[in-house]
Amino acid sequence: MAVKTENRVLAQNRKARHDYTIEDTFEAGMELRGTEIKSIRAGRMNLKDSFGKIDNNELFLHNAHISPYEQGNQFNHDPLRTRKLLLHRREINKLIGKSMQSGYSIIPLKVYIKNGKAKVLIGLAKGKKKYDKRQALKEQDAKREMDKAINRSMKGMSD
């Protein structure tokens, strides 16, 4: 029997790495209902403004938007409903300990399919200050300029 290991990214929180410093990542399953998985497989999910929150020693995903499935009619669910994330107890305990410290947040980074199941990569993140963001942009620009210069010089050598 062949093992199915499709790791196609279906939704990504691009702003997360700009706004936060990701210190640790965890892979979590999602508790979904009915037609939600069909919408996710169709790529109709948005992680912008979503976050993780711990309630009663369980982790929940808030503000993640899953668009209603077009053929779902009355079986569709609320697009912004809170969804439970499935983690091992020791991972939840680690998240509880770290997220209690000031400045730490639980942020979803991307959603993908692994072995036929929807998974969320969540990150333990610390918010960046405005000057940190500017510094990161300067470093990116400098790296981009160096790469361009290297490519130009390599192209000049091959001509």
Side-chain angles (χ1 to χ4, degrees):
M1 188 167 111
V3 177
K4 191 170 143 186
T5 57
E6 174 189 353
N7 277 351
R8 192 179 65 151
V9 175
L10 301 171
Q12 198 162 11
N13 191 350
R14 296 178 191 276
K15 200 88 166 124
R17 295 198 188 270
H18 180 266
D19 292 340
Y20 299 94
T21 302
I22 309 299
E23 297 200 356
D24 203 359
T25 59
F26 300 90
E27 181 181 76
M30 264 196 297
E31 192 175 86
L32 299 171
R33 294 195 184 140
T35 57
E36 289 178 328
I37 187 63
K38 292 184 178 197
S39 279
I40 290 174
R41 285 181 190 275
R44 298 176 48 83
M45 182 173 189
N46 188 350
L47 292 176
K48 186 180 177 192
D49 300 331
S50 60
F51 60 95
K53 188 175 180 185
I54 297 173
D55 291 328
N56 297 329
N57 290 331
E58 294 180 331
L59 183 61
F60 292 93
L61 183 63
H62 294 269
N63 283 356
H65 186 277
I66 298 177
S67 297
Y69 186 59
E70 289 163 3
Q71 286 84 33
N73 56 41
Q74 83 254 23
F75 299 108
N76 279 323
H77 300 280
D78 177 23
L80 287 174
R81 80 174 181 89
T82 301
R83 293 164 183 90
K84 184 176 178 181
L85 295 180
L86 309 170
L87 285 168
H88 291 284
R89 171 61 45 208
R90 67 180 180 278
E91 293 174 327
I92 292 175
N93 290 341
K94 188 174 181 181
L95 278 171
I96 290 171
K98 288 278 191 169
S99 65
M100 291 298 175
Q101 298 173 14
S102 68
Y104 282 95
S105 304
I106 301 168
I107 305 295
L109 302 173
K110 63 182 175 178
V111 174
Y112 53 94
I113 301 290
K114 182 177 180 184
N115 296 331
K117 306 224 180 333
K119 302 286 184 182
V120 182
L121 185 69
I122 57 171
L124 185 64
K126 191 171 182 99
K128 284 185 181 178
K129 303 278 189 241
K130 201 171 233 174
Y131 57 84
D132 289 335
K133 293 178 192 178
R134 283 196 293 259
Q135 184 64 33
L137 286 174
K138 284 180 188 175
E139 289 171 6
Q140 279 181 341
D141 288 343
K143 184 181 182 323
R144 195 173 300 124
E145 289 298 322
M146 285 192 317
D147 289 344
K148 279 183 187 177
I150 289 170
N151 286 339
R152 272 190 238 121
S153 67
M154 294 300 253
K155 199 172 189 180
M157 294 169 91
S158 64
D159 287 340

